[in-house]
Amino acid sequence: MPAKNLNMIKYKHTLALNPYFGDSTALMGVFPPTGLEYIAASMKDLVGKVTLLDLRFEKVYQDPKALSKFIRNEIDLLCVSIRWESRFEEVCDFVSQLPPEVCTVVGGYKATEEVEYLFHRCPNIDIIVRGEGEEIIKQIVTGIPYKDIRGLSYRENGGIVHNEIHPLPDITRIPFPDRSLRKYDYSLVKHGVRLSSHLFDTVLTTRGCPFKCKFCTFSLNPLGQKRSYTERPIESVIEELKTVTADVVLFSDDNFFTNPKRSEQLCDLIIENKIKKIFVVQARIDIAQHPRVLDKAEKAGFKVFLIGIESPHDRILEQLQKGITQQQVRDAFAVLTQYDFYLHGYFIYGNIGETKEEMLYIPKFAKEIKLDSISFQKLRVERFSPLKEVVEETPGYYYNRIGGSVYSDRYGRKELKQIRNQIRSEFYDIPQVIHIIRKARQIELVLGRDLTNAFLKLPLLLYGLARRKMRKMI
Ligand code: B12
Ligand code: SF4
């Protein structure tokens, strides 16, 4: 790469900031901020220097005054990633306390959904990048006039200008995250206790999903459009995997096996290149129809499958347009359980017309098909979710806010909470918990020393859990 000519460079030092920290971001502690890392990689050769700060690891800079001091002294372009619904207001409070004199660019899933609100809420935000930002950030840092950059919203003469939408970036050409910009090791820590010796990372091999499940906005971009399914060249994925030092890798594709032929080729290359990792994938049950791919995935180190099942009931699966039936789920699990995979299932409860008995069938069904663990969420309505209209048109059903849960006259907050607790306690009984620990040991997700460590720090874990529960009750 040719040396940078600093005189030609508009921004000498940019800060890429992940502004999330605190309790409810516990899960996010495991994984790096992928979208922000793509942005940092895209601009790094066009600016003097990029510093990547993840506030989960920066105790001192969790104080906006301390961070502002650093920004005033060092930074001429601040780039903030706002991706989640959770902690959105806290993040707005934090960002609005950062120095107004430093040019501030914000992007991310949630930022794209809330452009007007963010400008109003944080007077120091100068520009919002809508949608996937790799090409857009390059144009900003090279000084192209804002009016000529598609995908931008920016302030002008006391108002806000929204430029037209930017075409999607060509993911066969954009650089993958540069791990040398990272200062942190990502690991599974809960209430101050490290639960696994492994380090975690994410790799994104495709974007978009061709399916059209009615409840899901994964397959939509944050502008509400169907994001076309696109694949990275598998050689580039292998090149990226070679830069990963973590031992557990989540392929954060919406569905890793959308194109089984490509998945098989990727497994072949992982084996050929002797890349030894524990791979975690998000998948649909359809993959069970491809035992050859599963054989290779097992050999390549695929250990954890996160599978969207959503419901045991055909009527509801049809309503959600999931494109599968209960029998197909059973058939798929008869195949999947033959492998040495840890199988986690996602379910949705509180669906339209779903009775309490039907919801309480989830834990039974999950055990019948031999899932190792499950997570279950109330039906939710997102801004662009096609389900929104269905809820609005169904008498007796309602939601209080976009991104919030769906309730009904029959099953309000209290009833659904009781049902949730019942699903949880019926599935996660003591034999199941023991089974999970054994299985996690068997696939080496958790090592013997991790269990000893967790056991020794049990009081700390319990104290953390209790404190969180108390805070939720207040
Ligand atoms: C992988 C994934 C996860 C992983 C996390 C991986 C990680 N690295 O953090 C795991 C499994 C942990 C996870 C968990 C959850 N997730 Co999730 N997840 C995803 C998924 C499938 C991919 C994310 C990703 O890597 N995208 C690819 C990157 C490149 O895109 P990106 O992050 O949007 O970044 C681009 C742009 O937004 C923009 N951009 C981003 N930041 C910035 C900053 C600047 C300055 C600029 C210019 C641009 C910019 O440019 C980036 C590059 O193109 C998305 C769906 C999707 N397809 O995007 C859901 C998604 C992000 N998750 C979602 C949700 C709801 C959750 C959960 C809350 C689910 C739950 N109930 O438990 C949890 C909780 C997380 C938490 N808050 O604690 C929602 C978020 C919706 C919202 N408004 O909050 C999404 C959008 C899915 C959906 N539509 O429902 N998730
Ligand atoms: S639920 Fe899964 S398969 Fe369905 S549209 Fe969303 S990402 Fe695709």
Side-chain angles (χ1 to χ4, degrees):
M1 198 201 43
K4 292 176 191 172
N5 179 350
L6 283 179
N7 293 327
M8 304 281 289
I9 277 173
K10 182 164 182 202
Y11 294 105
K12 304 280 180 282
H13 190 176
T14 64
L15 173 63
L17 180 71
N18 181 32
Y20 295 86
F21 60 91
D23 247 10
S24 64
T25 53
L27 178 62
M28 293 194 296
V30 187
F31 296 112
T34 312
L36 186 65
E37 292 201 339
Y38 266 99
I39 296 300
S42 289
M43 69 178 160
K44 83 172 188 273
D45 293 339
L46 303 170
V47 297
K49 178 179 171 189
V50 178
T51 295
L52 193 67
L53 275 191
D54 187 332
L55 289 189
R56 289 172 292 183
F57 299 87
E58 301 283 350
K59 270 247 158 335
V60 171
Y61 292 139
Q62 288 174 6
D63 173 2
K65 286 200 194 89
L67 183 60
S68 295
K69 193 170 167 208
F70 167 70
I71 292 173
R72 278 200 184 93
N73 289 339
E74 298 270 341
I75 300 298
D76 49 10
L77 181 71
L78 168 63
C79 299
V80 189
S81 183
I82 303 189
R83 302 183 302 287
W84 310 103
E85 166 82 27
S86 73
R87 293 191 71 80
F88 178 57
E89 288 303 327
E90 288 91 333
V91 164
C92 290
D93 282 339
F94 189 89
V95 171
S96 61
Q97 293 176 64
L98 300 177
E101 66 273 24
V102 175
C103 180
T104 300
V105 185
V106 168
Y109 202 94
K110 185 69 182 163
T112 305
E113 285 185 337
E114 300 288 352
V115 173
E116 296 280 347
Y117 179 75
L118 270 172
F119 276 123
H120 164 76
R121 183 74 161 72
C122 310
N124 56 327
I125 292 179
D126 299 289
I127 311 170
I128 296 181
V129 168
R130 306 187 317 261
E132 293 173 35
E134 287 90 345
E135 302 290 350
I136 306 174
I137 198 72
K138 279 162 73 177
Q139 296 170 58
I140 296 173
V141 298
T142 47
I144 293 181
Y146 296 165
K147 69 175 176 44
D148 297 330
I149 307 180
R150 284 186 280 174
L152 273 202
S153 294
Y154 59 98
R155 292 183 198 273
E156 192 177 69
N157 301 327
I160 293 167
V161 179
H162 301 286
N163 290 351
E164 65 177 278
I165 290 171
H166 196 283
L168 289 171
D170 176 358
I171 71 160
T172 62
R173 296 169 61 136
I174 54 182
F176 55 76
D178 176 355
R179 269 98 184 152
S180 72
L181 293 176
R182 263 194 215 157
K183 301 197 281 173
Y184 324 96
D185 285 335
Y186 288 86
S187 61
L188 182 57
V189 178
K190 210 142 195 163
H191 306 301
V193 179
R194 187 160 166 182
L195 296 178
S196 164
S197 321
H198 292 308
L199 296 179
F200 291 73
D201 206 336
T202 53
V203 170
L204 194 62
T205 91
T206 60
R207 290 194 190 175
C209 166
F211 291 91
K212 291 194 178 98
C213 307
K214 212 161 189 158
F215 59 92
C216 172
T217 47
F218 271 45
S219 59
L220 305 183
N221 71 18
L223 297 157
Q225 304 156 314
K226 182 89 186 150
R227 203 264 184 237
S228 56
Y229 170 74
T230 31
E231 300 172 342
R232 277 175 60 190
I234 49 176
E235 295 74 21
S236 142
V237 176
I238 295 295
E239 204 191 315
E240 177 173 4
L241 279 171
K242 287 182 180 166
T243 70
V244 171
T245 51
D247 22 31
V248 179
V249 174
L250 165 73
F251 282 121
S252 44
D253 307 24
D254 293 344
N255 169 18
F256 181 79
F257 298 103
T258 298
N259 174 356
K261 201 165 165 211
R262 173 181 181 271
S263 317
E264 185 180 344
Q265 287 166 348
L266 201 42
C267 291
D268 282 336
L269 282 183
I270 290 172
I271 299 165
E272 229 173 80
N273 284 277
K274 300 191 170 53
I275 297 171
K276 298 246 182 293
K277 307 274 176 210
I278 294 177
F279 291 109
V280 181
V281 278
Q282 314 207 79
R284 284 177 58 96
I285 58 157
D286 319 30
I287 188 54
Q289 293 161 18
H290 302 274
R292 208 177 61 210
V293 182
L294 288 174
D295 291 345
K296 294 209 174 146
E298 190 175 45
K299 267 200 205 109
F302 286 61
K303 296 268 171 82
V304 182
F305 280 55
L306 312 171
I307 306 173
I309 298 164
E310 325 307 351
S311 173
H313 309 292
D314 286 345
R315 180 172 52 84
I316 287 160
L317 286 167
E318 201 174 315
Q319 186 185 88
L320 297 174
Q321 284 180 15
K322 184 71 190 174
I324 57 177
T325 61
Q326 191 202 89
Q327 192 54 51
Q328 285 170 338
V329 176
R330 288 187 190 279
D331 294 345
F333 274 82
V335 175
L336 292 169
T337 46
Q338 301 301 309
Y339 293 85
D340 208 7
F341 298 141
Y342 182 101
L343 302 171
H344 178 88
Y346 295 114
F347 287 89
I348 298 175
Y349 67 103
N351 294 288
I352 296 172
E354 192 174 29
T355 63
K356 183 175 176 184
E357 291 65 40
E358 284 176 322
M359 295 182 223
L360 291 179
Y361 183 50
I362 291 175
K364 292 187 187 72
F365 179 69
K367 286 193 173 175
E368 281 167 24
I369 60 174
K370 297 201 174 67
L371 272 162
D372 295 307
S373 55
I374 59 170
S375 47
F376 34 96
Q377 285 197 349
K378 290 191 281 269
L379 187 67
R380 283 186 314 146
V381 161
E382 305 287 349
R383 187 179 300 274
F384 300 112
S385 156
L387 201 82
K388 194 162 139 260
E389 264 170 45
V390 183
V391 175
E392 283 163 0
E393 283 164 9
T394 310
Y397 281 80
Y398 58 92
Y399 59 90
N400 296 329
R401 61 178 177 88
I402 294 288
S405 306
V406 174
Y407 297 105
S408 66
D409 294 344
R410 189 155 170 213
Y411 300 111
R413 186 181 292 270
K414 200 173 128 220
E415 290 75 16
L416 287 181
K417 197 172 168 190
Q418 276 168 358
I419 292 173
R420 180 197 67 195
N421 290 344
Q422 223 171 315
I423 297 176
R424 187 191 290 142
S425 58
E426 277 185 30
F427 185 82
Y428 290 105
D429 52 17
I430 290 175
Q432 192 67 32
V433 173
I434 293 171
H435 165 81
I436 291 172
I437 296 172
R438 273 211 194 111
K439 191 82 182 258
R441 278 272 285 138
Q442 186 187 322
I443 61 162
E444 293 178 347
L445 193 60
V446 169
L447 308 178
R449 64 173 184 270
D450 298 329
L451 290 176
T452 316
N453 185 42
F455 183 72
L456 291 174
K457 298 203 172 131
L458 203 57
L460 209 61
L461 266 172
L462 292 175
Y463 174 68
L465 272 171
R467 249 182 36 171
R468 200 164 161 208
K469 227 179 174 140
M470 290 288 282
R471 257 206 304 269
K472 272 191 173 168
M473 280 161 62
I474 295 169

Short mmCIF file of all heavy atoms in Angstrom, two decimals, residues 361-393:
data_model
loop_
_atom_site.label_atom_id
_atom_site.label_comp_id
_atom_site.label_asym_id
_atom_site.label_seq_id
_atom_site.Cartn_x
_atom_site.Cartn_y
_atom_site.Cartn_z
N TYR A 361 -47.05 -25.62 24.86
CA TYR A 361 -46.56 -26.82 24.17
C TYR A 361 -45.10 -26.63 23.72
O TYR A 361 -44.40 -27.59 23.42
CB TYR A 361 -47.48 -27.16 22.99
CG TYR A 361 -47.09 -28.44 22.28
CD1 TYR A 361 -46.85 -29.62 23.00
CD2 TYR A 361 -46.93 -28.48 20.90
CE1 TYR A 361 -46.47 -30.78 22.36
CE2 TYR A 361 -46.56 -29.65 20.25
CZ TYR A 361 -46.32 -30.79 20.98
OH TYR A 361 -45.93 -31.95 20.35
N ILE A 362 -44.62 -25.37 23.69
CA ILE A 362 -43.24 -25.09 23.22
C ILE A 362 -42.20 -25.95 23.97
O ILE A 362 -41.42 -26.66 23.34
CB ILE A 362 -42.91 -23.58 23.29
CG1 ILE A 362 -43.73 -22.82 22.24
CG2 ILE A 362 -41.41 -23.32 23.08
CD1 ILE A 362 -43.58 -21.31 22.28
N PRO A 363 -42.16 -25.91 25.32
CA PRO A 363 -41.11 -26.70 26.00
C PRO A 363 -41.24 -28.20 25.76
O PRO A 363 -40.23 -28.89 25.62
CB PRO A 363 -41.30 -26.35 27.48
CG PRO A 363 -42.65 -25.74 27.59
CD PRO A 363 -42.96 -25.12 26.28
N LYS A 364 -42.47 -28.69 25.69
CA LYS A 364 -42.67 -30.13 25.45
C LYS A 364 -42.14 -30.50 24.07
O LYS A 364 -41.40 -31.46 23.90
CB LYS A 364 -44.16 -30.50 25.55
CG LYS A 364 -44.71 -30.36 26.95
CD LYS A 364 -46.14 -30.91 27.04
CE LYS A 364 -46.74 -30.60 28.40
NZ LYS A 364 -47.07 -29.17 28.58
N PHE A 365 -42.55 -29.69 23.09
CA PHE A 365 -42.13 -29.96 21.72
C PHE A 365 -40.60 -29.90 21.60
O PHE A 365 -39.97 -30.76 20.98
CB PHE A 365 -42.79 -28.94 20.79
CG PHE A 365 -42.42 -29.09 19.34
CD1 PHE A 365 -42.87 -30.19 18.61
CD2 PHE A 365 -41.64 -28.15 18.68
CE1 PHE A 365 -42.54 -30.35 17.27
CE2 PHE A 365 -41.30 -28.30 17.35
CZ PHE A 365 -41.76 -29.40 16.64
N ALA A 366 -40.03 -28.87 22.24
CA ALA A 366 -38.57 -28.70 22.17
C ALA A 366 -37.86 -29.94 22.72
O ALA A 366 -36.83 -30.37 22.19
CB ALA A 366 -38.16 -27.45 22.94
N LYS A 367 -38.44 -30.52 23.76
CA LYS A 367 -37.82 -31.73 24.33
C LYS A 367 -38.07 -32.94 23.42
O LYS A 367 -37.19 -33.78 23.26
CB LYS A 367 -38.34 -31.99 25.75
CG LYS A 367 -37.71 -31.00 26.73
CD LYS A 367 -37.91 -31.37 28.16
CE LYS A 367 -37.10 -30.40 29.01
NZ LYS A 367 -37.28 -30.56 30.43
N GLU A 368 -39.26 -32.98 22.82
CA GLU A 368 -39.56 -34.11 21.91
C GLU A 368 -38.56 -34.16 20.75
O GLU A 368 -38.10 -35.22 20.36
CB GLU A 368 -40.98 -33.96 21.33
CG GLU A 368 -42.09 -34.39 22.30
CD GLU A 368 -43.48 -33.92 21.83
OE1 GLU A 368 -43.69 -33.70 20.62
OE2 GLU A 368 -44.34 -33.75 22.70
N ILE A 369 -38.23 -32.98 20.22
CA ILE A 369 -37.32 -33.01 19.06
C ILE A 369 -35.86 -32.96 19.50
O ILE A 369 -34.97 -32.91 18.67
CB ILE A 369 -37.64 -31.88 18.05
CG1 ILE A 369 -37.51 -30.49 18.69
CG2 ILE A 369 -39.01 -32.07 17.42
CD1 ILE A 369 -37.68 -29.33 17.71
N LYS A 370 -35.63 -32.94 20.82
CA LYS A 370 -34.29 -33.02 21.41
C LYS A 370 -33.42 -31.78 21.14
O LYS A 370 -32.24 -31.87 20.80
CB LYS A 370 -33.55 -34.27 20.93
CG LYS A 370 -34.21 -35.57 21.35
CD LYS A 370 -33.19 -36.70 21.30
CE LYS A 370 -33.72 -38.00 21.84
NZ LYS A 370 -34.78 -38.62 21.06
N LEU A 371 -34.04 -30.62 21.31
CA LEU A 371 -33.24 -29.40 21.28
C LEU A 371 -32.42 -29.34 22.55
O LEU A 371 -32.89 -29.74 23.63
CB LEU A 371 -34.16 -28.18 21.20
CG LEU A 371 -34.56 -27.73 19.81
CD1 LEU A 371 -35.78 -26.83 19.84
CD2 LEU A 371 -33.39 -27.01 19.13
N ASP A 372 -31.19 -28.80 22.47
CA ASP A 372 -30.39 -28.69 23.69
C ASP A 372 -30.82 -27.48 24.51
O ASP A 372 -30.86 -27.54 25.73
CB ASP A 372 -28.90 -28.57 23.31
CG ASP A 372 -28.42 -29.85 22.64
OD1 ASP A 372 -28.62 -30.92 23.24
OD2 ASP A 372 -27.91 -29.79 21.52
N SER A 373 -31.08 -26.38 23.82
CA SER A 373 -31.57 -25.20 24.55
C SER A 373 -32.53 -24.43 23.65
O SER A 373 -32.57 -24.66 22.44
CB SER A 373 -30.40 -24.31 24.99
OG SER A 373 -29.61 -23.95 23.89
N ILE A 374 -33.29 -23.55 24.29
CA ILE A 374 -34.24 -22.74 23.51
C ILE A 374 -34.22 -21.30 23.99
O ILE A 374 -33.84 -21.02 25.14
CB ILE A 374 -35.70 -23.27 23.63
CG1 ILE A 374 -36.18 -23.27 25.10
CG2 ILE A 374 -35.84 -24.65 23.04
CD1 ILE A 374 -37.69 -23.54 25.25
N SER A 375 -34.60 -20.39 23.12
CA SER A 375 -34.95 -19.05 23.59
C SER A 375 -36.30 -18.72 22.97
O SER A 375 -36.64 -19.24 21.92
CB SER A 375 -33.88 -18.02 23.25
OG SER A 375 -33.48 -18.13 21.92
N PHE A 376 -37.06 -17.92 23.67
CA PHE A 376 -38.43 -17.66 23.21
C PHE A 376 -38.74 -16.20 23.46
O PHE A 376 -38.40 -15.64 24.50
CB PHE A 376 -39.43 -18.56 23.94
CG PHE A 376 -39.05 -18.85 25.36
CD1 PHE A 376 -39.57 -18.09 26.39
CD2 PHE A 376 -38.14 -19.85 25.67
CE1 PHE A 376 -39.20 -18.31 27.70
CE2 PHE A 376 -37.76 -20.08 26.98
CZ PHE A 376 -38.28 -19.32 28.00
N GLN A 377 -39.34 -15.59 22.45
CA GLN A 377 -39.64 -14.16 22.52
C GLN A 377 -41.09 -13.93 22.23
O GLN A 377 -41.67 -14.67 21.42
CB GLN A 377 -38.86 -13.44 21.43
CG GLN A 377 -37.41 -13.29 21.71
CD GLN A 377 -36.79 -12.24 20.82
OE1 GLN A 377 -37.40 -11.77 19.86
NE2 GLN A 377 -35.57 -11.88 21.13
N LYS A 378 -41.63 -12.87 22.83
CA LYS A 378 -43.01 -12.49 22.49
C LYS A 378 -43.01 -11.98 21.05
O LYS A 378 -42.00 -11.45 20.58
CB LYS A 378 -43.47 -11.35 23.41
CG LYS A 378 -43.69 -11.79 24.84
CD LYS A 378 -44.40 -10.70 25.62
CE LYS A 378 -43.49 -9.60 26.05
NZ LYS A 378 -42.82 -9.66 27.30
N LEU A 379 -44.14 -12.14 20.40
CA LEU A 379 -44.29 -11.58 19.05
C LEU A 379 -44.05 -10.07 19.15
O LEU A 379 -44.56 -9.42 20.07
CB LEU A 379 -45.72 -11.86 18.56
CG LEU A 379 -46.02 -11.51 17.12
CD1 LEU A 379 -45.26 -12.41 16.17
CD2 LEU A 379 -47.52 -11.63 16.85
N ARG A 380 -43.23 -9.52 18.22
CA ARG A 380 -42.94 -8.09 18.26
C ARG A 380 -43.28 -7.45 16.93
O ARG A 380 -43.29 -8.11 15.89
CB ARG A 380 -41.44 -7.86 18.52
CG ARG A 380 -41.03 -8.07 19.96
CD ARG A 380 -39.60 -7.70 20.18
NE ARG A 380 -38.72 -8.24 19.16
CZ ARG A 380 -37.63 -7.63 18.70
NH1 ARG A 380 -37.28 -6.48 19.17
NH2 ARG A 380 -36.88 -8.19 17.77
N VAL A 381 -43.53 -6.16 16.98
CA VAL A 381 -43.83 -5.43 15.75
C VAL A 381 -42.71 -4.43 15.48
O VAL A 381 -42.42 -3.58 16.32
CB VAL A 381 -45.19 -4.73 15.88
CG1 VAL A 381 -45.33 -3.62 14.86
CG2 VAL A 381 -46.32 -5.73 15.69
N GLU A 382 -42.05 -4.56 14.35
CA GLU A 382 -41.00 -3.62 13.96
C GLU A 382 -41.59 -2.61 12.99
O GLU A 382 -42.64 -2.86 12.39
CB GLU A 382 -39.84 -4.35 13.27
CG GLU A 382 -39.23 -5.49 14.06
CD GLU A 382 -38.37 -5.02 15.20
OE1 GLU A 382 -38.06 -3.82 15.28
OE2 GLU A 382 -38.02 -5.87 16.04
N ARG A 383 -40.85 -1.51 12.77
CA ARG A 383 -41.37 -0.44 11.92
C ARG A 383 -41.83 -0.95 10.54
O ARG A 383 -42.89 -0.61 10.06
CB ARG A 383 -40.30 0.64 11.73
CG ARG A 383 -40.82 1.85 11.00
CD ARG A 383 -39.74 2.92 10.87
NE ARG A 383 -39.26 3.38 12.16
CZ ARG A 383 -39.81 4.35 12.87
NH1 ARG A 383 -40.88 4.96 12.40
NH2 ARG A 383 -39.31 4.71 14.02
N PHE A 384 -41.02 -1.79 9.91
CA PHE A 384 -41.36 -2.21 8.55
C PHE A 384 -41.84 -3.66 8.48
O PHE A 384 -41.92 -4.23 7.40
CB PHE A 384 -40.14 -2.03 7.64
CG PHE A 384 -39.67 -0.60 7.57
CD1 PHE A 384 -38.46 -0.23 8.12
CD2 PHE A 384 -40.46 0.37 6.98
CE1 PHE A 384 -38.04 1.09 8.08
CE2 PHE A 384 -40.05 1.68 6.92
CZ PHE A 384 -38.84 2.05 7.47
N SER A 385 -42.12 -4.25 9.63
CA SER A 385 -42.52 -5.65 9.63
C SER A 385 -43.89 -5.81 8.97
O SER A 385 -44.85 -5.11 9.31
CB SER A 385 -42.55 -6.14 11.07
OG SER A 385 -43.42 -7.23 11.19
N PRO A 386 -44.03 -6.75 8.02
CA PRO A 386 -45.33 -6.97 7.37
C PRO A 386 -46.40 -7.42 8.37
O PRO A 386 -47.59 -7.35 8.09
CB PRO A 386 -45.05 -8.08 6.35
CG PRO A 386 -43.59 -8.29 6.32
CD PRO A 386 -42.99 -7.67 7.55
N LEU A 387 -45.95 -7.85 9.54
CA LEU A 387 -46.89 -8.33 10.55
C LEU A 387 -47.66 -7.17 11.20
O LEU A 387 -48.73 -7.35 11.78
CB LEU A 387 -46.08 -9.05 11.63
CG LEU A 387 -46.84 -10.01 12.49
CD1 LEU A 387 -46.97 -11.33 11.75
CD2 LEU A 387 -46.10 -10.25 13.79
N LYS A 388 -47.07 -5.98 11.08
CA LYS A 388 -47.66 -4.80 11.72
C LYS A 388 -49.13 -4.62 11.29
O LYS A 388 -50.01 -4.46 12.13
CB LYS A 388 -46.84 -3.57 11.32
CG LYS A 388 -47.10 -2.35 12.13
CD LYS A 388 -45.95 -1.37 11.96
CE LYS A 388 -46.44 0.02 11.85
NZ LYS A 388 -46.52 0.58 10.52
N GLU A 389 -49.36 -4.71 9.99
CA GLU A 389 -50.71 -4.54 9.47
C GLU A 389 -51.66 -5.60 10.01
O GLU A 389 -52.80 -5.30 10.36
CB GLU A 389 -50.70 -4.67 7.94
CG GLU A 389 -50.63 -3.35 7.24
CD GLU A 389 -50.38 -3.53 5.76
OE1 GLU A 389 -51.04 -4.39 5.15
OE2 GLU A 389 -49.50 -2.82 5.25
N VAL A 390 -51.16 -6.85 10.06
CA VAL A 390 -52.00 -7.95 10.53
C VAL A 390 -52.46 -7.66 11.96
O VAL A 390 -53.65 -7.80 12.29
CB VAL A 390 -51.23 -9.30 10.48
CG1 VAL A 390 -52.13 -10.46 10.89
CG2 VAL A 390 -50.64 -9.54 9.11
N VAL A 391 -51.52 -7.22 12.80
CA VAL A 391 -51.87 -6.93 14.19
C VAL A 391 -52.88 -5.78 14.24
O VAL A 391 -53.88 -5.85 14.96
CB VAL A 391 -50.60 -6.57 15.01
CG1 VAL A 391 -50.95 -6.15 16.42
CG2 VAL A 391 -49.63 -7.75 15.03
N GLU A 392 -52.62 -4.75 13.44
CA GLU A 392 -53.51 -3.59 13.44
C GLU A 392 -54.93 -3.95 13.00
O GLU A 392 -55.90 -3.36 13.45
CB GLU A 392 -52.94 -2.49 12.54
CG GLU A 392 -51.79 -1.74 13.22
CD GLU A 392 -50.94 -0.94 12.25
OE1 GLU A 392 -51.23 -0.94 11.04
OE2 GLU A 392 -49.96 -0.32 12.72
N GLU A 393 -55.01 -4.96 12.13
CA GLU A 393 -56.33 -5.32 11.59
C GLU A 393 -57.04 -6.39 12.42
O GLU A 393 -58.19 -6.72 12.14
CB GLU A 393 -56.18 -5.84 10.14
CG GLU A 393 -55.95 -4.71 9.16
CD GLU A 393 -55.42 -5.20 7.83
OE1 GLU A 393 -55.38 -6.42 7.61
OE2 GLU A 393 -55.03 -4.34 7.02
#
